[in-house]
Amino acid sequence: EQVHPRFINFLLDEINNERTGENLEREVLRGAIKILIELGFGNNNVYKKDFEKIFLDKSQEFYNNEAMEKITTHSTGDYLKVVQKRLDEEQERCLDFLIEETKKPLLKRILSPMVENHCKALINKPDSGLAYLIRQKQYSTIQLMFKIFTQVPTARKMFENFLVDTVTDDCSNITRDTS
């Protein structure tokens, strides 16, 4: 039998409220998750079957919407700070009241819509992308980009290719200018 949908919706609504800035009593959520585990007689089958899949789907939807909103309104650096903040919040959520096995698929639900889907745009933004960051010597933002992009294979590859192409172009320009 399935856990009552109102209970699951309560959990999802509370987590969504926290994501949008409302304070909540984490003790309540911790207790509710504990109930899901106890319903599974100590294992995570009820948690996984009745809560986790819906939670992960709702999380991806939330972060997809946030990415679509912020990719056009934020500079690359500011956008990356939002991504890092969200990654930190979700990791804290996993430590505080979700189960450990939720962490990896949850982080993927953030990284896919927020980084994988927009890595090319982030790198190529004319007024804040990677070339701009390099020219302006914004090394802390470049480090943040690298830290985040290394978690997504396609983004990491795009980052590396951009750097190789930039160095190759710079070397070509130096060679051409000295001859």
Side-chain angles (χ1 to χ4, degrees), residues 20-128:
T20 59
E22 292 183 34
N23 289 330
L24 74 129
E25 294 296 322
R26 285 190 165 202
E27 285 295 321
V28 172
L29 288 174
R30 195 175 300 119
I33 296 299
K34 187 176 178 184
I35 289 170
L36 287 177
I37 293 168
E38 287 174 2
L39 287 171
F41 300 103
N43 67 39
N44 301 330
N45 62 351
V46 172
Y47 171 94
K48 290 222 171 264
K49 180 178 70 91
D50 292 343
F51 171 73
E52 187 182 59
K53 181 182 179 347
I54 298 166
F55 168 70
L56 293 172
D57 290 345
K58 293 286 186 186
S59 297
Q60 182 146 1
E61 181 182 321
F62 177 86
Y63 289 115
N64 188 53
N65 291 337
E66 184 167 74
M68 296 303 289
E69 172 197 330
K70 295 196 183 313
I71 193 69
T72 58
T73 60
H74 286 56
S75 69
T76 295
D78 289 342
Y79 184 87
L80 291 170
K81 288 174 189 168
V82 169
V83 173
Q84 187 60 55
K85 178 178 178 258
R86 292 306 195 172
L87 289 168
D88 293 344
E89 289 171 352
E90 294 298 347
Q91 288 182 62
E92 183 182 319
R93 210 168 267 122
C94 284
L95 288 172
D96 203 19
F97 58 83
L98 299 171
I99 65 169
E100 179 65 26
E101 293 86 36
T102 303
K103 181 178 172 181
K104 188 174 181 178
L106 177 57
L107 295 182
K108 184 175 165 93
R109 298 313 194 286
I110 301 167
L111 292 167
S112 179
M114 295 197 84
V115 177
E116 187 171 21
N117 294 351
H118 299 289
C119 57
K120 186 174 183 178
L122 291 167
I123 287 173
N124 293 320
K125 276 194 173 204
D127 58 346
S128 68

